[in-house]
Amino acid sequence: MKPATVNHSRLLKAAAQLKHGSSLVADRIIAENPNGSNSSWSGVFRKLRLQRDRLHDDSSPRIDKPAFSVFAKGNSKLPFYAFSSMAILDCAGYGECGVWCYSKQAWRNPNAAGRQISNSMLLASEKGRRLIEDEFMKLPKGIVFRLYVDGDFDSKATLKFWMELLKRRPDIQAYGYSKSWVELVALHLDGYEWPKNYLLNLSSGSRHDDGLKAVVAGLPITRGEFIAVPVDRRHIKSGAYKSRHAEGFTDYAKAVRSNSDKPRLFVCSGQCGDCLPAGRHACGDEKFRNVPIAIGVH
Ligand code: SF4
């Protein structure tokens, strides 16, 4: 039998159903290739379906093993612990970014998509949230933590869940990017006391207007904007934007500055572990409060 094909709209439909406890599309994907390997689409959906069954099994109060690891340990570009959930499905404020969303590239890999979906499912249920809590409390001491590489706060409840969790681990330095501005402002208007160990970057591509953006910019957790600036293709082709040590980075940074309308700007160099001296990173650094960070469009 021909292996299952899973385009983006089918994947999002399957993910949305699993998040809410149904596996109709997942069942079909599995049936199209019942003996597929664990890393095939059908293998990944078999694991997710089993997790769905466990999450909705009322005879057991806990689930002790996720279908995919909850936290990623990081890589050479982003050497921090990180959490992701299903992009677009969980992005409460996505707008034009839904067209060019870089998370979709990860969906070519069934395991990468499965990891995002698994976390969306966990966040959507009490049992799953307890598992995330348990895993979060086990993270090593004093780490830098990127809250959402893919995905975003899908609701005020999810936002509050994460903020409360961060308060329980004040040793962890967390940061992230969000377009869930309605949810952020709604929680703030409740009189919520924000954790001291989370910094928020306002990224572009949101569905919301500048008025709401200005309100979010004034929240105590907000570091500042992260913006994309068009630059000549040659800076991108040469790879100069990939590291502050790369040949041509200085020229690239000049081009970003001169093409932007911001009087003061920090130019992102792409390698978060080598962004500033001494292992500091601008997006999660108090000293960069209110300093726009910019990257050349690539
Ligand atoms: S400015 Fe630094 S921390 Fe922020 S994305 Fe760029 S490299 Fe990473």
Side-chain angles (χ1 to χ4, degrees):
M1 191 181 282
K2 215 167 140 230
T5 51
V6 182
N7 62 25
H8 290 175
S9 86
R10 198 174 188 211
L11 183 63
L12 277 165
K13 198 164 175 193
Q17 288 184 349
L18 284 166
K19 181 177 171 179
H20 298 291
S22 157
S23 65
L24 281 177
V25 175
D27 290 345
R28 264 182 250 133
I29 293 169
I30 294 165
E32 284 166 20
N33 185 22
N35 301 317
S37 71
N38 281 345
S39 57
S40 67
W41 283 113
S42 78
V44 163
F45 277 101
R46 282 198 303 267
K47 282 194 243 175
L48 293 171
R49 188 171 61 178
L50 190 62
Q51 174 160 289
R52 190 280 314 261
D53 294 345
R54 287 182 178 146
L55 286 171
H56 295 271
D57 172 7
D58 293 335
S59 67
S60 158
R62 296 194 85 84
I63 156 172
D64 37 65
K65 210 173 170 300
F68 293 85
S69 53
V70 174
F71 299 105
K73 257 189 180 169
N75 51 39
S76 57
K77 192 175 176 298
L78 183 75
F80 309 136
Y81 278 81
F83 179 87
S84 288
S85 71
M86 188 60 174
I88 299 189
L89 175 66
D90 282 355
C91 296
Y94 85 85
E96 63 182 31
C97 63
V99 178
W100 43 257
C101 175
Y102 64 86
S103 300
K104 288 181 184 171
Q105 288 169 20
W107 295 351
R108 282 190 291 235
N109 177 336
N111 275 302
R115 192 166 294 118
Q116 292 181 23
I117 298 170
S118 171
N119 278 345
S120 294
M121 293 167 69
L122 295 176
L123 276 173
S125 86
E126 273 304 312
K127 231 190 251 184
R129 286 186 188 215
R130 239 175 282 142
L131 176 67
I132 294 176
E133 266 174 50
D134 293 346
E135 296 293 310
F136 184 77
M137 296 310 282
K138 285 188 222 154
L139 289 176
K141 267 202 167 310
I143 54 162
V144 174
F145 175 56
R146 164 102 174 251
L147 181 51
Y148 289 103
V149 175
D150 307 293
D152 203 339
F153 306 111
D154 67 343
S155 63
K156 188 171 83 168
T158 298
L159 171 64
K160 191 170 176 190
F161 166 79
W162 278 115
M163 295 299 121
E164 288 297 302
L165 214 42
L166 288 171
K167 286 181 190 171
R168 289 170 59 193
R169 287 293 306 268
D171 58 301
I172 287 179
Q173 287 308 310
Y175 77 103
Y177 309 78
S178 179
K179 299 184 231 312
S180 300
W181 300 346
V182 168
E183 292 68 21
L184 284 152
V185 172
L187 187 58
H188 190 65
L189 291 176
D190 289 346
Y192 186 67
E193 196 174 318
W194 296 97
K196 307 242 179 308
N197 54 341
Y198 176 73
L199 277 181
L200 169 73
N201 292 267
L202 303 181
S203 48
S204 46
S206 153
R207 71 177 62 180
H208 303 303
D209 62 21
D210 286 352
L212 188 60
K213 186 178 185 180
V215 179
V216 183
L219 298 182
I221 50 171
T222 305
R223 186 208 60 74
E225 279 183 282
F226 189 97
I227 56 172
V229 174
V231 289
D232 193 287
R233 287 298 302 162
R234 76 188 156 87
H235 297 295
I236 305 305
K237 273 197 196 142
S238 69
Y241 68 97
K242 286 185 179 163
S243 160
R244 66 192 173 100
H245 308 294
E247 205 182 322
F249 180 78
T250 311
D251 283 345
Y252 158 70
K254 259 191 215 158
V256 173
R257 284 200 183 88
S258 63
N259 292 353
S260 151
D261 57 357
K262 308 280 179 195
R264 194 174 163 223
L265 197 68
F266 178 82
V267 179
C268 167
S269 57
Q271 301 276 340
C272 301
D274 184 38
C275 170
L276 294 169
R280 286 162 50 228
H281 60 290
C283 290
D285 196 311
E286 277 288 347
K287 292 200 178 117
F288 283 75
R289 277 236 184 214
N290 300 321
V291 178
I293 298 178
I295 191 163
V297 176
H298 57 273

